């Protein structure tokens, strides 16, 4: 039986991050993954990450995945794919099934980073072809280039539901609506706003009643629920769709931890009990990523790094001073990601009314996915100024600061607290470089010249408009506002596949126009 300093189960963001941390300390590391490709969910994530620059904010998940794979290869980490781990014993022996054969390896340390599986929502017709999970939709689109459907109803308004809905728009699908039984949108407001300005409506306090079709989904009926989650008669609404996509949560895949005998607790799912370093109740067996609690991929990577660092210290590969110094940095970064409107302590709350700055949170954003024209002026990212200047419609305390990093001219300030609302410095002069617009993970920054009636927007749909093209300017709610002329289109490798499209509109619309439709405007 071959022995390794660290055996990692799962080649996703947490597993690869832990493996790299341990290998760079000098440990021998092997990684097993049951899939044909490493990288876990990262290679499905074509959107740009939130967080800090140090933790890949503003970088797309697929690129982060590629960076991790290149590091793993450079560090001579052995990654074995199509390899299903089927058991862990208390002596830290690991049973692996591959090509019909089972073998065992021994780990001085083991990290379980098996991720999570999608939850489903049973309803009449839920077994019809055309009812799929959001993760399946991402796999179809972003790994295999297949549209999951032509017209889609999304169930779930958390970040997964919002992000995947937007990616379906990018793939050329029509998203009929986003439905959620909760009274508030569960994900980031900036993600919801991207959908709203492209015409996607939200039906909150609604749930699915049934899907119908002869051999495949042809329609789905939803209804409004009361405070006891019962359908309110007379509120039924039917959509003609060919796909129902469910983003209703994830279940940590803690089976291996349970099999090994680790203590398990209920935290919205069965997860192994871990200490501050990710170690389970079994010495030398760690858990990180979604298997230890559902969080964003940035948090999963940091948790993986901490577990790998701890394993290296316990095994004598780094000294205590190095461990304490590095752990302190990683813990602080993890703490930053867990602050703000969507912090663990605020999860599920519907009584939040103020930002940490004491500004009112937009109820319209929570309920409809967009800010009203009156609300937007209340936030520090929106000022009136002559000439071109950034307008930042980021109104929730989200851990993210790449906009500050992108501006070399001091126009945008976030400060040391990365969950603070971005502010515009009225004394700084915007050079119209557009880097902040392209870098913003939430596509919430626009360059506006009110006197000239010019608005620069981020654009990630295909085909990209051409200069001289005439179309329609859309408002924050997706409604047509007026005629728009495309006067400039900028592309650059530095913009990472985000085009900057400048449209000229009536001066009165410059602070309202936030999207562009290629359809000709009609009164």
């Amino acid at each position: 039986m071959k022995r390794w300093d660290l055996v990692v189960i799962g080649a996703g963001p947490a597993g690869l991050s832990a493996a790299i941390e341990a290998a760079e300390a000098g440990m021998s590391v092997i990684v097993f993954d049951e899939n044909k490709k490493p990288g876990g969910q990262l290679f499905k994530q074509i959107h740009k990450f939130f967080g800090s620059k140090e933790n890949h904010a503003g970088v797309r998940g697929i690129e982060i995945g590629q960076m991790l794979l290149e590091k793993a290869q450079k560090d001579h980490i052995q990654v074995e794919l199509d390899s299903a781990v089927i058991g862990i014993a208390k002596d830290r022996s690991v049973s692996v099934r591959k090509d019909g054969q089972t073998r065992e390896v021994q780990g001085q340390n083991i990290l379980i980073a098996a991720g999570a599986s999608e939850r489903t929502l049973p309803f009449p017709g839920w077994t019809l072809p055309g009812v799929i999970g959001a993760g399946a939709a991402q796999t179809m689109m972003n790994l295999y280039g297949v549209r999951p459907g032509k017209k889609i109803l999304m169930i779930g308004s958390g970040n997964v539901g919002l992000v995947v809905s937007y990616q379906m728009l990018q793939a050329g699908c029509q998203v009929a609506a986003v439905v959620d039984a909760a009274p508030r949108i569960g994900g980031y407001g900036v993600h919801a706003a991207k959908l709203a300005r492209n015409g996607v409506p939200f039906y909150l306090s609604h749930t699915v009643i049934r899907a119908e079709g002869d051999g495949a989904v042809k329609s789905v009926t939803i209804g409004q629920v009361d405070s006891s989650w019962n359908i309110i008669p007379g509120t039924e609404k039917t959509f003609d769709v060919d796909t129902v996509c469910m983003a209703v949560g994830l279940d940590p895949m803690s089976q291996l931890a349970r099999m090994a005998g680790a203590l398990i607790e209920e935290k919205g799912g069965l997860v192994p009990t871990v200490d501050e370093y990710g170690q389970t109740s079994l010495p030398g067996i760690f858990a990180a990523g979604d298997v230890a609690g559902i969080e964003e991929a940035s948090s999963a990577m940091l948790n993986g790094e901490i577990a790998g660092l701890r394993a290296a210290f316990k095994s004598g590969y780094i000294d205590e001073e190095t461990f304490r110094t590095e752990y302190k940095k990683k813990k602080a970064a993890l703490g930053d990601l867990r602050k703000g409107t969507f912090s663990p302590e605020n999860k599920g709350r519907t009584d939040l009314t103020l930002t940490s700055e004491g500004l009112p949170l937009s109820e319209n954003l929570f309920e409809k996915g967009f800010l009203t024209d009156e609300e937007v002026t209340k936030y520090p990212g929106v000022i009136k100024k002559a000439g071109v200047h950034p307008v930042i419609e980021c109104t929730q305390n989200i851990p993210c600061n790449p906009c500050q990093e992108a501006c070399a001219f001091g126009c945008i300030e976030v400060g040391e607290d990365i969950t603070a609302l971005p502010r515009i410095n009225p004394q700084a002069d915007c050079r119209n470089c557009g880097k902040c617009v392209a870098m913003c993970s939430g596509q919430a920054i626009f360059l506006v010249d009110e006197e000239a009636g010019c608005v620069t927007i981020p654009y990630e749909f295909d085909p990209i408009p051409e200069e001289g093209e005439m179309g329609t300017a859309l408002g924050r709610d997706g409604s047509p506002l007026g005629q728009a002329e495309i006067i400039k289109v900028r592309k650059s490798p530095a913009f990472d596949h985000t085009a900057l499209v400048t449209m000229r509109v009536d001066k009165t619309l410059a602070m309202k126009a936030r999207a562009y439709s290629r359809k000709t405007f009609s009164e």
Side-chain angles (χ1 to χ4, degrees):
M1 184 189 305
K2 188 165 182 179
R3 299 178 183 273
W4 298 83
D5 293 325
L6 177 64
V7 176
V8 177
I9 304 165
L16 287 177
S17 297
I20 291 165
E21 192 74 27
E24 291 185 348
M27 299 179 76
S28 61
V29 182
I30 187 169
V31 180
F32 295 108
D33 195 289
E34 65 183 0
N35 298 300
K36 293 183 181 297
K37 293 183 179 180
Q41 300 300 311
L42 288 173
F43 287 95
K44 300 178 185 180
Q45 297 174 342
I46 62 172
H47 57 284
K48 296 176 181 178
F49 273 34
F50 290 79
S52 66
K53 181 180 179 182
E54 293 75 19
N55 293 299
H56 313 298
V59 180
R60 299 184 191 277
I62 52 175
E63 295 171 3
I64 297 171
Q66 190 59 44
M67 284 189 282
L68 291 177
L69 290 179
E70 289 172 0
K71 279 188 179 181
Q73 187 175 24
K74 182 181 176 182
D75 291 335
H76 305 291
I77 295 168
Q78 185 168 329
V79 179
E80 294 200 12
L81 304 175
D82 284 320
S83 301
V85 173
I86 58 175
I88 302 174
K90 289 185 178 179
D91 65 353
R92 296 193 292 277
S93 61
V94 177
S95 300
V96 185
R97 186 79 173 170
K98 182 177 183 177
D99 297 330
Q101 303 293 319
T102 301
R103 80 179 201 270
E104 290 189 348
V105 297
Q106 187 86 37
Q108 183 177 358
N109 300 276
I110 296 172
L111 173 73
I112 303 170
S117 60
E118 289 193 276
R119 289 178 178 170
T120 58
L121 179 68
F123 51 84
W126 76 294
T127 59
L128 280 171
V131 180
I132 61 174
Q138 271 194 314
T139 299
M140 293 169 70
M141 292 185 295
N142 302 338
L143 291 183
Y144 300 107
V146 176
R147 290 178 185 167
K150 293 180 180 179
K151 191 172 183 181
I152 297 160
L153 189 78
M154 174 62 74
I155 311 300
S157 69
N159 278 335
V160 173
L162 300 178
V163 167
V164 175
S165 291
Y166 187 74
Q167 290 174 4
M168 288 193 285
L169 292 179
Q170 290 177 301
C173 307
Q174 181 183 349
V175 179
V178 175
V179 176
D180 202 310
R184 278 185 168 189
I185 292 170
Y188 292 171
V190 289
H191 284 322
K194 290 189 297 184
L195 296 175
R197 62 178 175 253
N198 282 287
V200 178
F202 289 84
Y203 288 85
L204 303 180
S205 296
H206 280 71
T207 192
V208 180
I209 296 175
R210 63 184 174 274
E212 295 179 296
D214 183 14
V217 172
K218 298 297 182 185
S219 68
V220 60
T221 300
I222 66 171
Q224 188 174 354
V225 296
D226 59 23
S227 58
S228 300
W229 309 103
N230 297 312
I231 303 291
I232 300 173
T235 63
E236 297 85 356
K237 181 176 179 62
T238 298
F239 295 86
D240 294 326
V241 297
D242 58 17
T243 305
V244 179
C245 189
M246 293 185 286
V248 293
L250 300 169
D251 277 318
M253 297 181 68
S254 58
Q255 295 93 330
L256 288 171
R258 283 181 276 165
M259 183 185 298
L263 289 178
I264 302 294
E265 56 186 311
E266 169 65 45
K267 287 186 176 180
L270 297 176
V271 298
T273 302
V274 296
D275 63 16
E276 59 185 317
Y277 311 116
Q279 185 168 241
T280 70
S281 58
L282 303 174
I285 298 183
F286 297 80
D290 283 347
V291 71
I294 309 300
E295 289 189 274
E296 300 293 328
S298 298
S299 298
M301 287 187 284
L302 280 168
N303 275 319
E305 290 176 11
I306 289 171
L309 185 72
R310 183 64 174 178
F313 171 59
K314 282 174 57 63
S315 301
Y317 283 90
I318 57 175
D319 59 34
E320 185 169 2
E321 182 179 355
T322 300
F323 168 71
R324 294 297 173 194
T325 300
E326 291 302 311
Y327 171 70
K328 185 177 180 181
K329 291 178 186 176
K330 296 179 191 301
K331 195 69 175 177
L334 190 58
D336 285 340
L337 295 177
R338 290 172 169 170
K339 293 191 296 186
T341 306
F342 297 88
S343 64
E345 58 265 29
N346 288 333
K347 191 172 183 179
R349 289 182 61 182
T350 58
D351 59 339
L352 292 176
T353 58
L354 300 174
T355 69
S356 60
E357 295 84 359
L359 298 171
L361 286 165
S362 167
E363 281 301 318
N364 206 72
L365 183 64
F366 277 128
E367 294 174 5
K368 298 181 180 179
F370 62 91
L371 296 162
T372 66
D373 295 335
E374 294 73 30
E375 287 175 328
V376 74
T377 61
K378 299 177 182 178
Y379 298 96
V382 181
I383 65 169
K384 279 190 170 291
K385 187 179 179 180
V388 177
H389 61 277
V391 171
I392 307 180
E393 301 186 0
C394 180
T395 62
Q396 296 171 328
N397 297 118
I398 297 170
C400 195
N401 68 357
C403 55
Q404 177 177 258
E405 299 286 342
C407 184
F409 310 107
C411 298
I412 301 172
E413 301 172 344
V414 175
E416 293 185 5
D417 181 359
I418 69 171
T419 63
L421 295 182
R423 306 175 297 278
I424 301 298
N425 178 3
Q427 308 305 319
D429 291 324
C430 175
R431 307 296 178 86
N432 194 23
C433 70
K435 288 183 180 178
C436 60
V437 179
M439 181 68 77
C440 179
S441 307
Q443 296 186 19
I445 303 181
F446 311 89
L447 295 178
V448 177
D449 186 336
E450 293 179 70
E451 275 303 305
C454 294
V455 183
T456 299
I457 63 174
Y459 200 90
E460 293 188 348
F461 297 108
D462 190 35
I464 296 170
E466 298 179 359
E467 293 181 9
E469 183 177 306
M470 303 297 292
T472 300
L474 305 177
R476 296 180 182 89
D477 61 352
S479 62
L481 298 178
Q483 181 173 276
E485 177 189 4
I486 303 302
I487 61 172
K488 192 172 185 179
V489 176
R490 286 180 276 176
K491 306 174 191 176
S492 167
F495 297 164
D496 190 14
H497 303 288
T498 299
L500 304 190
V501 173
T502 302
M503 56 184 176
R504 182 182 285 121
V505 298
D506 187 278
K507 293 180 183 180
T508 60
L509 301 179
M511 280 300 294
K512 298 179 180 180
R514 291 297 177 263
Y516 173 77
S517 169
R518 307 190 80 179
K519 294 180 180 179
T520 303
F521 176 71
S522 57
E523 299 289 347

